Amino acid sequence: MTGTPILMASTSIGLIIVSVSIAMLLIRVIIGPTLPDRAAALDTLGINLIAMAGLLAIRLSTIHFNDVILLIAILTFIGTVALAKFLVKGVVIERNSR
Amino acid sequence: MHLLHVAIVLPLMYALFAGLFARWKRTIHTGWFILPLPALLFIYFISILPGVSQAPLFASLHWIPSLNINFDVYADGLALLFSLLITGIGSLVILYSIFYLHTSEKLGHFYTYLLIFMSAMLGIVLSDNLFVLYTFWELTSISSFLLIGFWNHRDKARYGAQKSLLITVAGGLSMLGAFFMLSHVTGTSSIRTLLLQTETILEHPLFPVMLILILFGAFAKSAQFPFHIWLPDAMEAPTPVSAYLHSATMVKAGLYLVARFSMAFTPSDLFFILVTGVGLLTLCWGSYLALKQTDLKAILAYSTISQLGMIMAMLGFGSSTAILGAVFHIFNHATFKGSLFMVAGIIDHETGTRDIRRLRGLLTFMPITATLTLIATFSMAGVPMPILNGFLSKEMFFTAATELAKEGSLQAAVAPYVPIFAVFGSIFTFAYSMFLFFRPFTGSKDEADFPNKPHEAPAGMLISPSILVALVIVIGLFPNLIAGVLLAPATESILGGKAVTDIYFWHGFFNLPFLLSCLVATAGILVYFFRKRLDGMYRILPGKASGNRLFDGLVYSLEAGSSRVNGRIMTGSLTDYFQIILVFFVGVVGYTIVEKMPLDFMSSQLASVEWYEWLILLVIGLSAIVTLFIHHRIALILVIGVTGYGVALLFVMFRAPDLALTQLVIETVTVALFLLCFAHMPRLEKPGKKAPIRKILQIVLSVGVGVIVAVTGISSFRFGDQFEKISAYFLETSYTLGGGKNVVNTILVDMRGLDTMLEIAVLGLAAIGIYVMIKVRDREELK
């Protein structure tokens, strides 16, 4: 691992916090109890992944994960919207009513 | 290309035109167009006969020289004897069939099959190459199948055809196996060359196997015990076919084979035991059963079986008297049995039935037919009248049976018992022959029950049996007419040396064979008169122990068994198939690992694991395990989504940004697709109560698969650096050769672009497939 010790220490702390967060979100995804709970947990999980990817990018001192971060942001948004629509309307893509 | 080649192939070529003839002139019976061919061939074989008895003809034609398979023909005495029978009786049978078959029958088919058969039969007896012989051998099975099933609208004809095909082809295939061994052991596939290597063959450890396989083929074809069961069922064929195939030619193919190979095999004791034993058994069993039959053709079928057994037994004896007797009887049997079948056909044709219980007093209606039958049956019975050829060959059979003791130690040991079997079989032969003549032809015609009004057959129908019966008497009176020119060369080619071939016209009164003949005649008459008393015996001895029951049971249990096995394995349940696949996988891979691979895991090259890697593994593992216990679809797909995102994070950690990108998108799309489907699907049911054992087995199996894959993965790691990795090259040349700094992408589109192209094709196909599935379903609904 490259980087100064203080960088390493701070990313470690950040990763631990994010990991704990992920673990707790996982519990929420698994036990529910309702589907909106799970959907919201999954959305938050995606944001935690962004954080984790960012921390890892710092830790591995690379710029190649920036795409990943942006993608996760877009995907969690799309995914959550799709899921929300499914939960409300029962379908994701409606048929044209023309 | 020798004339012999032409002679063999000519009927086959001519068969191509038989159908055309049948269409061309409907007023003229097709048989008239066919008849000149066998007659011509017969004359040809007669013309080469004198030369061949001096020096056999040999001609070769390249067919597959690289495999040592050539269309070699070899005409010696034995081959010519059979060729003459095939073409001679073939001509007579075709002449007979012209009057027997009405022009409304499918004559084109009939003569096509018959000509194919004739070609095949000539091919068998004249081939010098094992594999060419086998080819023709199977061709006779197939054409015989077609001929037996000629009236294929009848159930029994189809049954008989199928049965004979199954049995003779089973024999033929085992014979092929023996031929492979023989040609491997001797290094040649030429029969002539091979027969000279008696020592090599007899001393080879595989010899008993070869012998049994060859004899299986010969016995199945020649209807020997216990493979005789197809012959009575083959009687559903038109009578000319029965006369030709099932008395004179095809059933003698097995005899030909045994005779042909006996030169090499005779010194073996096993050959003697099998051939003589089976022959005698067939003789007794066939003649015993013949007396029980009530159908004319069935009597003749069992009679053929028993006569073939007698010839087979003589071939087994191996002495020169016996061989001469066998050859003589082959000839004689063809004459009288051919005519008897034709006579049976005439009776069937003119009275409308073949059931012997309904026939009485035909003598007054059909005097000529009766005379022909009388001579032929008496010749078959071996009535001690020296004008009948059957008597002469039967005398030779008794002579050979009683002289057996002179041959060798084994022969001497069984010698006292052989005449007993011979006499027993002959007594019954005598009895059913009498039955065959006296029952339909004598008695009061008032008791009879004819479907048609009986009358004498047309002259054309009587020509062929008359010629054959005339031969019976001529050969009976002057056996030496054919002995020198025909029988002697045949005997010599079986024995492989000079043979004494004088057939005594009359042995004199006081010798053992003649006394045996008289004994047979007396006892036979007694059996004939007291045949009603035998009914009890027939209930006990064949009783339920008949070969037909065995065959039917075997076929039935094969079918039932295989359908049961299929029903057990092919349940239609994907779970079961998947379990079978996995069990196989665990078994094979597990066995290979346990047997072949030392399970020493190398830990020296392992990388160290960071703590956050543990963490993410924990998340993935936890969500994977949880999926097993969730019974709500959406919750399930969300948890699986967690697994997918976790894997994406792993890619990030292992520095694979492109993979991570793709994985994220795909995971999201998959989740969305699942959601699309879920709108249309019922709620996920709780799995029903399975049998606990089944559930435990499934758990064991899945754990087994996991362990096997894990062990394979871990242990394959130690082979990881045995070879130089190619990735170094890619890293080095990605920019210089590919012009890109992203090595993954350079590989995908430049270094291994072909894979990418095909993956694109896969995606395209999937898209088209989905589109079609949706659209076609809609269209179906519209209909």
Side-chain angles (χ1 to χ4, degrees):
Chain A
M1 294 299 140
T2 52
T4 53
I6 186 150
L7 206 59
M8 292 294 286
S10 50
T11 50
S12 294
I13 294 167
L15 279 172
I16 291 172
I17 293 170
V18 174
S19 303
V20 171
S21 162
I22 287 179
M24 286 158 76
L25 285 166
L26 184 67
I27 293 169
R28 185 48 65 199
V29 171
I30 290 169
I31 61 174
T34 64
L35 284 177
D37 286 332
R38 291 193 173 107
L42 208 63
D43 189 45
T44 322
L45 203 68
I47 291 164
N48 278 280
L49 287 184
I50 295 177
M52 202 157 195
L55 286 168
L56 282 171
I58 296 169
R59 205 180 160 85
L60 302 173
S61 60
T62 167
I63 56 162
H64 290 113
F65 292 136
N66 300 357
D67 299 344
V68 176
I69 292 167
L70 287 176
L71 193 73
I72 297 175
I74 296 167
L75 288 177
T76 48
F77 172 71
I78 294 173
T80 312
V81 168
L83 207 56
K85 196 166 177 190
F86 179 78
L87 292 177
V88 174
K89 294 201 167 181
V91 289
V92 179
I93 301 167
E94 289 172 81
R95 279 170 182 264
N96 281 340
S97 54
R98 272 181 295 164
Chain B
M1 192 94 172
H2 192 268
L3 258 177
L4 274 173
H5 289 119
V6 180
I8 293 173
V9 183
L10 202 56
L12 205 57
M13 297 291 126
Y14 206 58
L16 293 175
F17 301 101
L20 292 180
F21 288 136
R23 298 256 165 145
W24 177 46
K25 285 271 188 215
R26 283 176 194 279
T27 45
I28 303 176
H29 197 285
T30 315
W32 291 115
F33 297 108
I34 309 296
L35 183 60
L37 179 75
L40 193 75
L41 290 176
F42 182 71
I43 293 167
Y44 167 69
F45 284 122
I46 288 266
S47 73
I48 62 172
L49 182 61
V52 162
S53 45
Q54 310 299 326
L57 279 177
F58 176 77
S60 182
L61 187 68
H62 281 298
W63 183 19
I64 316 174
S66 57
L67 291 179
N68 221 349
I69 298 175
N70 294 314
F71 189 11
D72 295 346
V73 290
Y74 179 66
D76 59 353
L78 183 65
L80 267 196
L81 169 73
F82 275 90
S83 308
L84 286 172
L85 283 178
I86 293 160
T87 49
I89 299 202
S91 318
L92 295 176
V93 160
I94 288 176
L95 180 65
Y96 175 78
S97 70
I98 290 173
F99 296 95
Y100 184 84
L101 289 175
H102 195 256
T103 41
S104 59
E105 301 272 8
K106 290 180 284 182
L107 291 176
H109 293 221
F110 183 78
Y111 288 109
T112 308
Y113 304 156
L114 205 66
L115 284 173
I116 294 175
F117 173 78
M118 191 181 286
S119 212
M121 205 59 215
L122 283 175
I124 288 183
V125 298
L126 288 168
S127 309
D128 184 45
N129 190 293
L130 284 176
F131 300 106
V132 176
L133 189 149
Y134 172 73
T135 310
F136 285 117
W137 186 275
E138 291 302 11
L139 202 54
T140 60
S141 297
I142 293 166
S143 50
S144 159
F145 168 77
L146 290 170
L147 284 167
I148 296 170
F150 179 63
W151 286 315
N152 52 21
H153 51 90
R154 295 186 190 169
D155 275 346
K156 286 180 89 178
R158 293 200 300 268
Y159 172 75
Q162 186 200 36
K163 190 176 189 177
S164 72
L165 189 73
L166 284 177
I167 294 178
T168 53
V169 166
L173 281 177
S174 83
M175 201 180 79
L176 179 66
F179 283 177
F180 280 130
M181 290 185 211
L182 264 180
S183 71
H184 179 72
V185 167
T186 58
T188 174
S189 57
S190 156
I191 299 174
R192 250 175 350 137
T193 333
L194 172 156
L195 289 180
L196 298 176
Q197 306 188 29
T198 309
E199 302 252 311
T200 326
I201 297 173
L202 289 186
E203 280 162 15
H204 198 269
L206 275 178
F207 171 72
V209 183
M210 286 191 271
L211 182 67
I212 288 169
L213 288 181
I214 281 200
L215 287 183
F216 176 34
F219 289 169
K221 198 80 166 177
S222 277
Q224 299 292 301
F225 187 88
F227 313 112
H228 62 277
I229 47 175
W230 66 266
L231 190 62
D233 284 306
M235 290 302 129
E236 286 302 317
T239 304
V241 172
S242 310
Y244 187 38
L245 273 71
H246 307 128
S247 73
T249 51
M250 188 178 93
V251 287
K252 295 205 170 107
L255 297 176
Y256 169 80
L257 196 75
V258 173
R260 183 53 90 194
F261 283 95
S262 68
M263 199 166 102
F265 291 170
T266 311
S268 146
D269 282 345
L270 189 63
F271 178 80
F272 171 75
I273 294 170
L274 282 175
V275 177
T276 309
V278 171
L280 287 174
L281 198 60
T282 313
L283 164 68
C284 296
W285 189 241
S287 57
Y288 173 70
L289 283 184
L291 195 55
K292 179 190 160 197
Q293 310 302 321
T294 53
D295 177 59
L296 278 179
K297 278 176 84 175
I299 300 178
L300 291 175
Y302 279 104
S303 147
T304 303
I305 291 169
S306 106
Q307 302 277 324
L308 292 171
M310 175 174 142
I311 300 171
M312 195 64 93
M314 282 197 268
L315 288 175
F317 293 166
S319 65
S320 75
T321 328
I323 299 292
L324 179 62
V327 169
F328 192 29
H329 201 71
I330 286 175
F331 183 87
N332 294 343
H333 178 250
T335 58
F336 64 69
K337 191 53 65 67
S339 59
L340 277 176
F341 267 110
M342 291 177 189
V343 163
I346 289 174
I347 294 176
D348 187 14
H349 211 267
E350 305 307 335
T351 65
T353 181
R354 288 197 318 245
D355 192 333
I356 206 158
R357 287 165 300 189
R358 300 172 69 180
L359 299 167
R360 278 285 193 291
L362 281 177
L363 191 59
T364 47
F365 300 109
M366 318 172 123
I368 305 176
T369 313
T371 317
L372 298 177
T373 317
L374 176 80
I375 297 169
T377 45
F378 275 39
S379 176
M380 178 162 78
V383 174
M385 285 198 296
I387 57 162
L388 302 169
N389 59 4
F391 166 65
L392 297 179
S393 43
K394 184 143 282 186
E395 289 278 86
M396 294 170 83
F397 175 52
F398 287 140
T399 313
T402 47
E403 281 176 352
L404 200 57
K406 296 176 190 165
E407 291 293 322
S409 57
L410 180 76
Q411 278 86 338
V414 298
Y417 309 107
V418 171
I420 299 175
F421 282 102
V423 168
F424 178 81
S426 303
I427 289 172
F428 275 90
T429 305
F430 197 93
Y432 73 69
S433 301
M434 295 303 110
F435 186 50
L436 198 60
F437 175 73
F438 286 108
R439 180 68 198 247
F441 285 101
T442 60
S444 153
K445 60 191 170 193
D446 303 332
E447 295 171 40
D449 166 28
F450 304 121
N452 302 339
K453 185 158 170 44
H455 54 82
E456 186 56 88
M461 230 175 184
L462 289 170
I463 297 173
S464 301
S466 305
I467 293 176
L468 287 172
V469 165
L471 266 178
V472 168
I473 295 181
V474 170
I475 304 300
L477 283 174
F478 310 107
N480 288 320
L481 270 183
I482 57 163
V485 66
L486 190 59
L487 302 183
T491 315
E492 279 160 16
S493 48
I494 296 175
L495 286 172
K498 273 284 166 205
V500 191
T501 52
D502 267 347
I503 301 174
Y504 293 110
F505 170 60
W506 180 245
H507 283 267
F509 274 109
F510 297 104
N511 53 41
L512 195 51
F514 182 73
L515 293 177
L516 283 179
S517 281
C518 293
L519 171 68
V520 164
T522 324
I525 290 168
L526 283 176
V527 171
Y528 171 67
F529 279 112
F530 294 106
R531 63 180 184 276
K532 291 265 183 322
R533 303 274 175 85
L534 287 175
D535 286 350
M537 223 166 95
Y538 281 118
R539 267 199 292 280
I540 299 167
L541 190 49
K544 289 182 176 173
S546 85
N548 286 321
R549 281 173 64 96
L550 183 70
F551 175 81
D552 291 340
L554 202 66
V555 170
Y556 172 78
S557 56
L558 271 178
E559 283 175 5
S562 52
S563 83
R564 202 173 320 133
V565 168
N566 261 350
R568 183 63 61 79
I569 297 176
M570 299 285 150
T571 51
S573 147
L574 286 180
T575 316
D576 289 351
Y577 299 157
F578 199 58
Q579 279 170 358
I580 292 172
I581 294 171
L582 290 183
V583 165
F584 189 77
F585 170 78
V586 170
V588 169
V589 180
Y591 175 81
T592 314
I593 288 176
V594 171
E595 275 297 298
K596 305 276 179 193
M597 234 159 55
L599 282 179
D600 52 340
F601 300 126
M602 275 196 354
S603 53
S604 59
Q605 302 214 345
L606 295 180
S608 59
V609 185
E610 297 285 323
W611 54 269
Y612 49 89
E613 291 171 0
W614 281 116
L615 247 170
I616 200 73
L617 274 181
L618 192 75
V619 170
I620 294 177
L622 195 64
S623 55
I625 291 171
V626 166
T627 52
L628 294 177
F629 302 99
I630 294 182
H631 301 300
H632 189 280
R633 281 190 203 276
I634 295 179
L636 193 60
I637 188 58
L638 293 182
V639 176
I640 291 176
V642 172
T643 322
Y645 285 136
V647 171
L649 204 60
L650 269 188
F651 287 144
V652 170
M653 270 185 246
F654 294 129
R655 298 177 211 183
D658 294 304
L659 279 184
L661 283 176
T662 318
Q663 168 71 22
L664 283 168
V665 177
I666 294 296
E667 192 60 42
T668 312
V669 171
T670 314
V671 170
L673 281 179
F674 272 118
L675 289 179
L676 260 180
C677 302
F678 286 171
H680 305 283
M681 284 173 70
R683 285 182 160 273
L684 198 62
E685 282 173 28
K686 287 217 168 192
K689 282 280 171 219
K690 283 186 204 160
I693 296 178
R694 201 177 155 83
K695 198 163 181 179
I696 289 170
L697 282 179
Q698 284 179 343
I699 291 171
V700 168
L701 185 62
S702 44
V703 169
V705 172
V707 169
I708 290 281
V709 173
V711 168
T712 313
I714 296 169
S715 46
S716 65
F717 181 73
R718 64 191 290 273
F719 300 108
D721 56 340
Q722 277 188 351
F723 303 100
E724 201 186 336
K725 288 194 177 76
I726 200 171
S727 53
Y729 171 80
F730 288 141
L731 289 173
E732 212 174 276
T733 57
S734 152
Y735 187 67
T736 52
L737 291 181
K741 285 182 180 163
N742 187 331
V743 183
V744 175
N745 291 357
T746 318
I747 290 174
L748 282 180
V749 299
D750 193 339
M751 296 169 176
R752 288 180 184 165
L754 205 60
D755 294 353
T756 312
M757 189 182 77
L758 294 177
E759 298 278 349
I760 292 170
V762 168
L763 284 181
L765 277 179
I768 293 172
I770 291 167
Y771 179 78
V772 168
M773 278 197 288
I774 293 169
K775 281 294 166 190
V776 168
R777 186 205 58 180
D778 281 352
R779 217 174 287 152
E780 289 293 313
E781 273 176 4
L782 283 178
K783 270 181 188 172

